[in-house]
Every structure is written in structure tokens, then in C-alpha cells.
Amino acid sequence: YGNGGFDTKLNTNGFSINYGGNVSLSNHQYLNTATLFTVAGNITQDGSLTLNGATLNITGDYSHTLGTTIVDSGSITVGGNYQYGDNSDARLFMDHNSGSITVSGNAIIKPHTAYHSLTAGVLDVKGDFTHATGVHQNNFNPTGTHKTVLSGTSKQTVSFGIVPESGFNIRSAILGDLP
């Protein structure tokens, strides 16, 4: 899955798919409604991914270094760390209230450009949140109803490369005030 030289459209009609091992997503992958796709390993993404109401569970790390992720009304759960961008043209779209990304580890946000759309949905981070700037200073600047939740069970560190150009729109801390 995801290593071929063609686009993949996966519709399991409500059945689940479990994959044991690491996955590399290239080209454009579509996970359609009612699909539960679990990867027992890491995902490296250098293509595009669209979750059309699907659920993607990753037990390891998720490295989104290039391409576009459209969360849509789907959800991504990352058991390890999530890296969005690597001073590259990675793009993230969260534009539906029911869309979510939950990260059990750290979230490292460092896209090269400001080309993303974070207008709705929830980014829930249980580890540290680190933002590093690329070419554009406002390359993490959610708007609308997009919410960032810090829900770790111990102290979390939040850092931004440049403020006030980048930051949270609506934020919530489960254990107390934000630093």
C-alpha cells in the first residue's frame, strides 16, 4: 500500500485493514468513509493523503515531510511523534469540525510555507508542541473553529519560532494553564 507509482483509492465497505510494519505513502492515497486502517509501525509520507471520513491509526511515528494531508471528516491517531514538514512544502488541511489528529507523543511543526488551511477540527497533543519557522513566519496560524488541545498527563512544553505571526487559534489545556 502506498509504494506504487499510481494513486490508490481504498474503500473497504466498513471492514478494517491492519498492516504490520512501516508504510511509505507516495502519490495520492484516498481512505474512504468507514475505513479503519491501522498501521503497526511508522508512516512516512511524501505524497498526498485524503481521509474522507476514514480513521487512520498509527502505532508508531508519523512523518509528513512532503505532499498534502486532507483530514476532511476523518481522524488520525498517532501513537508516537508527529512531524509535519521538514522545511519542505508539506501541506495540512483541517476544514471540518469532525476532523481530528491525536498525537500521543510530541508534535513537531516545521513546514516551509504558509500554504495550509486549519479552519476547523482538533489537534490534540499529549507530548510537547514545537513550532519552527520556514520561509513564511506565519506557517502555523489556525483560524475559525480549529482547536489545539494540550492533554498530556505531565508538564508539556510549547514553543513557537516566531510569535505573534504563528500561534494557536483556540487552545485548551487539560491539566492546567498553558505556559
Side-chain angles (χ1 to χ4, degrees), residues 89-162:
D89 287 331
R91 296 172 181 91
L92 176 62
F93 292 86
M94 295 184 75
D95 297 320
H96 287 81
N97 285 328
S98 59
S100 67
I101 298 176
T102 302
V103 181
S104 293
N106 299 323
I108 301 110
I109 311 296
K110 55 179 185 176
H112 177 68
T113 67
Y115 184 66
H116 62 262
S117 179
L118 305 173
T119 62
V122 175
L123 172 61
D124 182 355
V125 179
K126 299 177 184 324
D128 296 338
F129 180 95
T130 303
H131 169 262
T133 61
V135 172
H136 298 278
Q137 296 177 352
N138 64 339
N139 62 8
F140 187 82
N141 193 11
T143 60
T145 60
H146 186 275
K147 184 177 185 178
T148 303
V149 177
L150 302 172
S151 62
T153 57
S154 61
K155 180 180 176 181
Q156 293 176 263
T157 301
V158 175
S159 63
F160 279 95
I162 294 183

Side-chain angles (χ1 to χ4, degrees), residues 1-2 6-13 17 26-33 35 48-50 52:
Y1 176 77
F6 54 89
D7 291 351
T8 304
K9 194 167 204 171
L10 184 63
N11 187 348
T12 63
N13 295 318
I17 295 176
S26 342
N27 298 318
H28 199 124
Q29 316 302 322
Y30 301 87
L31 298 179
N32 284 326
T33 304
T35 299
S48 294
L49 172 66
T50 300
N52 184 19

